[in-house]
mmCIF file of all heavy atoms in Angstrom:
data_model
loop_
_atom_site.group_PDB
_atom_site.id
_atom_site.type_symbol
_atom_site.label_atom_id
_atom_site.label_comp_id
_atom_site.label_asym_id
_atom_site.label_seq_id
_atom_site.Cartn_x
_atom_site.Cartn_y
_atom_site.Cartn_z
ATOM 1 N N TRP B 29 -146.864 -212.459 10.207
ATOM 2 C CA TRP B 29 -145.455 -212.131 9.961
ATOM 3 C C TRP B 29 -145.148 -212.120 8.463
ATOM 4 O O TRP B 29 -144.304 -211.344 8.003
ATOM 5 C CB TRP B 29 -144.549 -213.123 10.696
ATOM 6 C CG TRP B 29 -144.463 -212.798 12.155
ATOM 7 C CD1 TRP B 29 -145.137 -213.396 13.180
ATOM 8 C CD2 TRP B 29 -143.682 -211.767 12.749
ATOM 9 N NE1 TRP B 29 -144.818 -212.806 14.377
ATOM 10 C CE2 TRP B 29 -143.921 -211.802 14.141
ATOM 11 C CE3 TRP B 29 -142.796 -210.810 12.256
ATOM 12 C CZ2 TRP B 29 -143.312 -210.926 15.028
ATOM 13 C CZ3 TRP B 29 -142.182 -209.941 13.139
ATOM 14 C CH2 TRP B 29 -142.441 -209.996 14.506
ATOM 15 N N CYS B 35 -143.750 -206.369 3.190
ATOM 16 C CA CYS B 35 -143.574 -204.906 3.153
ATOM 17 C C CYS B 35 -142.101 -204.511 3.105
ATOM 18 O O CYS B 35 -141.776 -203.324 3.166
ATOM 19 C CB CYS B 35 -144.208 -204.276 4.401
ATOM 20 S SG CYS B 35 -145.965 -204.591 4.589
ATOM 21 N N TYR B 44 -133.753 -210.780 8.452
ATOM 22 C CA TYR B 44 -134.664 -211.021 9.570
ATOM 23 C C TYR B 44 -135.180 -212.465 9.600
ATOM 24 O O TYR B 44 -135.284 -213.080 10.663
ATOM 25 C CB TYR B 44 -135.850 -210.057 9.509
ATOM 26 C CG TYR B 44 -135.482 -208.615 9.773
ATOM 27 C CD1 TYR B 44 -135.972 -207.589 8.973
ATOM 28 C CD2 TYR B 44 -134.644 -208.270 10.823
ATOM 29 C CE1 TYR B 44 -135.643 -206.266 9.206
ATOM 30 C CE2 TYR B 44 -134.302 -206.957 11.066
ATOM 31 C CZ TYR B 44 -134.798 -205.955 10.261
ATOM 32 O OH TYR B 44 -134.460 -204.655 10.497
ATOM 33 N N TYR B 45 -135.508 -213.009 8.421
ATOM 34 C CA TYR B 45 -136.085 -214.355 8.398
ATOM 35 C C TYR B 45 -135.054 -215.404 8.790
ATOM 36 O O TYR B 45 -135.348 -216.312 9.586
ATOM 37 C CB TYR B 45 -136.658 -214.643 7.016
ATOM 38 C CG TYR B 45 -137.420 -215.942 6.944
ATOM 39 C CD1 TYR B 45 -138.520 -216.165 7.766
ATOM 40 C CD2 TYR B 45 -137.050 -216.948 6.059
ATOM 41 C CE1 TYR B 45 -139.229 -217.353 7.708
ATOM 42 C CE2 TYR B 45 -137.754 -218.133 5.993
ATOM 43 C CZ TYR B 45 -138.840 -218.335 6.821
ATOM 44 O OH TYR B 45 -139.528 -219.523 6.752
ATOM 45 N N SER B 72 -146.915 -220.329 26.882
ATOM 46 C CA SER B 72 -148.120 -219.499 26.865
ATOM 47 C C SER B 72 -147.791 -218.038 26.594
ATOM 48 O O SER B 72 -148.589 -217.298 26.016
ATOM 49 C CB SER B 72 -148.856 -219.611 28.207
ATOM 50 O OG SER B 72 -149.244 -220.942 28.461
ATOM 51 N N PHE B 86 -144.774 -203.290 12.627
ATOM 52 C CA PHE B 86 -145.634 -202.558 11.700
ATOM 53 C C PHE B 86 -145.622 -201.059 12.009
ATOM 54 O O PHE B 86 -145.702 -200.224 11.112
ATOM 55 C CB PHE B 86 -147.067 -203.096 11.764
ATOM 56 C CG PHE B 86 -147.292 -204.325 10.934
ATOM 57 C CD1 PHE B 86 -147.537 -205.553 11.526
ATOM 58 C CD2 PHE B 86 -147.269 -204.267 9.548
ATOM 59 C CE1 PHE B 86 -147.748 -206.692 10.766
ATOM 60 C CE2 PHE B 86 -147.482 -205.391 8.773
ATOM 61 C CZ PHE B 86 -147.720 -206.612 9.382
ATOM 62 N N ASN B 87 -145.519 -200.729 13.301
ATOM 63 C CA ASN B 87 -145.538 -199.316 13.697
ATOM 64 C C ASN B 87 -144.302 -198.551 13.231
ATOM 65 O O ASN B 87 -144.366 -197.341 13.015
ATOM 66 C CB ASN B 87 -145.666 -199.197 15.220
ATOM 67 C CG ASN B 87 -147.072 -199.524 15.699
ATOM 68 O OD1 ASN B 87 -148.030 -199.395 14.941
ATOM 69 N ND2 ASN B 87 -147.201 -199.943 16.943
ATOM 70 N N LYS B 124 -138.973 -238.938 8.573
ATOM 71 C CA LYS B 124 -138.896 -239.861 9.708
ATOM 72 C C LYS B 124 -137.463 -240.028 10.212
ATOM 73 O O LYS B 124 -137.233 -240.291 11.390
ATOM 74 C CB LYS B 124 -139.472 -241.216 9.331
ATOM 75 C CG LYS B 124 -138.670 -241.996 8.313
ATOM 76 C CD LYS B 124 -139.341 -243.319 7.985
ATOM 77 C CE LYS B 124 -138.533 -244.103 6.952
ATOM 78 N NZ LYS B 124 -139.229 -245.344 6.565
ATOM 79 N N ALA B 136 -132.308 -228.626 14.273
ATOM 80 C CA ALA B 136 -131.150 -229.430 13.904
ATOM 81 C C ALA B 136 -129.983 -228.536 13.499
ATOM 82 O O ALA B 136 -130.155 -227.362 13.149
ATOM 83 C CB ALA B 136 -131.514 -230.375 12.751
ATOM 84 N N VAL B 145 -125.527 -219.098 7.449
ATOM 85 C CA VAL B 145 -124.807 -218.741 6.224
ATOM 86 C C VAL B 145 -125.480 -217.541 5.551
ATOM 87 O O VAL B 145 -124.813 -216.590 5.126
ATOM 88 C CB VAL B 145 -124.764 -219.943 5.255
ATOM 89 C CG1 VAL B 145 -124.331 -219.493 3.860
ATOM 90 C CG2 VAL B 145 -123.810 -221.004 5.777
ATOM 91 N N ALA B 166 -128.496 -224.938 -1.478
ATOM 92 C CA ALA B 166 -129.586 -225.854 -1.160
ATOM 93 C C ALA B 166 -129.594 -227.087 -2.047
ATOM 94 O O ALA B 166 -129.831 -228.202 -1.579
ATOM 95 C CB ALA B 166 -130.923 -225.127 -1.268
ATOM 96 N N ALA B 198 -132.639 -223.764 3.549
ATOM 97 C CA ALA B 198 -132.196 -222.816 2.527
ATOM 98 C C ALA B 198 -133.304 -222.560 1.517
ATOM 99 O O ALA B 198 -133.545 -221.415 1.121
ATOM 100 C CB ALA B 198 -130.945 -223.350 1.831
ATOM 101 N N MET B 204 -139.412 -217.704 0.834
ATOM 102 C CA MET B 204 -139.845 -216.510 1.553
ATOM 103 C C MET B 204 -139.399 -215.246 0.817
ATOM 104 O O MET B 204 -140.168 -214.293 0.655
ATOM 105 C CB MET B 204 -139.284 -216.522 2.975
ATOM 106 C CG MET B 204 -139.500 -215.229 3.754
ATOM 107 S SD MET B 204 -141.249 -214.802 4.003
ATOM 108 C CE MET B 204 -141.662 -215.883 5.377
ATOM 109 N N ILE B 206 -138.695 -214.867 -2.421
ATOM 110 C CA ILE B 206 -139.377 -214.700 -3.704
ATOM 111 C C ILE B 206 -140.814 -214.223 -3.492
ATOM 112 O O ILE B 206 -141.276 -213.271 -4.134
ATOM 113 C CB ILE B 206 -139.344 -216.018 -4.497
ATOM 114 C CG1 ILE B 206 -137.909 -216.341 -4.922
ATOM 115 C CG2 ILE B 206 -140.251 -215.929 -5.723
ATOM 116 C CD1 ILE B 206 -137.735 -217.721 -5.509
ATOM 117 N N ASP B 240 -144.052 -242.487 1.810
ATOM 118 C CA ASP B 240 -142.951 -243.205 2.455
ATOM 119 C C ASP B 240 -143.479 -244.388 3.265
ATOM 120 O O ASP B 240 -142.921 -245.498 3.195
ATOM 121 C CB ASP B 240 -142.170 -242.257 3.359
ATOM 122 C CG ASP B 240 -141.026 -242.957 4.075
ATOM 123 O OD1 ASP B 240 -140.122 -243.482 3.386
ATOM 124 O OD2 ASP B 240 -141.037 -243.001 5.318
ATOM 125 N N ILE B 243 -144.602 -247.094 0.837
ATOM 126 C CA ILE B 243 -143.457 -247.819 0.251
ATOM 127 C C ILE B 243 -142.938 -248.854 1.245
ATOM 128 O O ILE B 243 -142.645 -249.999 0.868
ATOM 129 C CB ILE B 243 -142.351 -246.836 -0.151
ATOM 130 C CG1 ILE B 243 -142.794 -246.013 -1.367
ATOM 131 C CG2 ILE B 243 -141.053 -247.576 -0.476
ATOM 132 C CD1 ILE B 243 -141.842 -244.891 -1.729
ATOM 133 N N ILE B 246 -145.446 -251.882 1.308
ATOM 134 C CA ILE B 246 -145.623 -252.764 0.151
ATOM 135 C C ILE B 246 -144.299 -253.242 -0.451
ATOM 136 O O ILE B 246 -144.305 -254.128 -1.314
ATOM 137 C CB ILE B 246 -146.438 -252.065 -0.957
ATOM 138 C CG1 ILE B 246 -145.679 -250.850 -1.510
ATOM 139 C CG2 ILE B 246 -147.800 -251.643 -0.438
ATOM 140 C CD1 ILE B 246 -146.372 -250.172 -2.683
ATOM 141 N N VAL B 270 -135.471 -228.334 -12.331
ATOM 142 C CA VAL B 270 -135.835 -227.866 -13.676
ATOM 143 C C VAL B 270 -136.672 -226.592 -13.580
ATOM 144 O O VAL B 270 -136.454 -225.626 -14.323
ATOM 145 C CB VAL B 270 -136.614 -228.965 -14.438
ATOM 146 C CG1 VAL B 270 -137.171 -228.415 -15.752
ATOM 147 C CG2 VAL B 270 -135.722 -230.170 -14.692
ATOM 148 N N ARG B 276 -134.667 -218.146 -12.504
ATOM 149 C CA ARG B 276 -133.689 -217.989 -11.436
ATOM 150 C C ARG B 276 -133.654 -216.591 -10.834
ATOM 151 O O ARG B 276 -133.146 -216.402 -9.746
ATOM 152 C CB ARG B 276 -132.292 -218.349 -11.948
ATOM 153 C CG ARG B 276 -132.082 -219.845 -12.104
ATOM 154 C CD ARG B 276 -130.663 -220.166 -12.478
ATOM 155 N NE ARG B 276 -130.318 -219.649 -13.801
ATOM 156 C CZ ARG B 276 -129.095 -219.707 -14.325
ATOM 157 N NH1 ARG B 276 -128.113 -220.216 -13.637
ATOM 158 N NH2 ARG B 276 -128.859 -219.242 -15.540
ATOM 159 N N SER B 280 -138.254 -212.162 -10.760
ATOM 160 C CA SER B 280 -139.180 -212.761 -11.723
ATOM 161 C C SER B 280 -140.581 -212.879 -11.118
ATOM 162 O O SER B 280 -140.750 -212.962 -9.909
ATOM 163 C CB SER B 280 -138.686 -214.150 -12.128
ATOM 164 O OG SER B 280 -139.653 -214.831 -12.885
ATOM 165 N N CYS B 306 -139.790 -200.605 -15.276
ATOM 166 C CA CYS B 306 -138.452 -200.724 -14.670
ATOM 167 C C CYS B 306 -137.787 -202.037 -15.073
ATOM 168 O O CYS B 306 -136.587 -202.074 -15.377
ATOM 169 C CB CYS B 306 -138.550 -200.633 -13.148
ATOM 170 S SG CYS B 306 -138.910 -198.991 -12.510
ATOM 171 N N GLU B 319 -129.071 -202.670 -8.894
ATOM 172 C CA GLU B 319 -129.372 -201.418 -9.587
ATOM 173 C C GLU B 319 -130.844 -201.362 -9.979
ATOM 174 O O GLU B 319 -131.475 -200.305 -9.922
ATOM 175 C CB GLU B 319 -128.488 -201.291 -10.822
ATOM 176 C CG GLU B 319 -127.028 -200.994 -10.508
ATOM 177 C CD GLU B 319 -126.105 -201.177 -11.698
ATOM 178 O OE1 GLU B 319 -126.576 -201.651 -12.752
ATOM 179 O OE2 GLU B 319 -124.907 -200.847 -11.575
ATOM 180 N N LEU B 357 -128.223 -195.709 -18.551
ATOM 181 C CA LEU B 357 -129.401 -195.185 -19.228
ATOM 182 C C LEU B 357 -129.064 -193.962 -20.085
ATOM 183 O O LEU B 357 -129.937 -193.442 -20.786
ATOM 184 C CB LEU B 357 -130.489 -194.804 -18.212
ATOM 185 C CG LEU B 357 -131.500 -195.894 -17.833
ATOM 186 C CD1 LEU B 357 -130.819 -197.131 -17.268
ATOM 187 C CD2 LEU B 357 -132.524 -195.359 -16.848
#
Side-chain angles (χ1 to χ4, degrees):
W29 282 100
C35 301
Y44 292 135
Y45 187 59
S72 300
F86 278 111
N87 286 335
K124 68 181 180 184
V145 166
M204 171 62 80
I206 292 171
D240 179 61
I243 289 173
I246 64 175
V270 172
R276 285 186 295 175
S280 171
C306 287
E319 288 167 354
L357 270 58

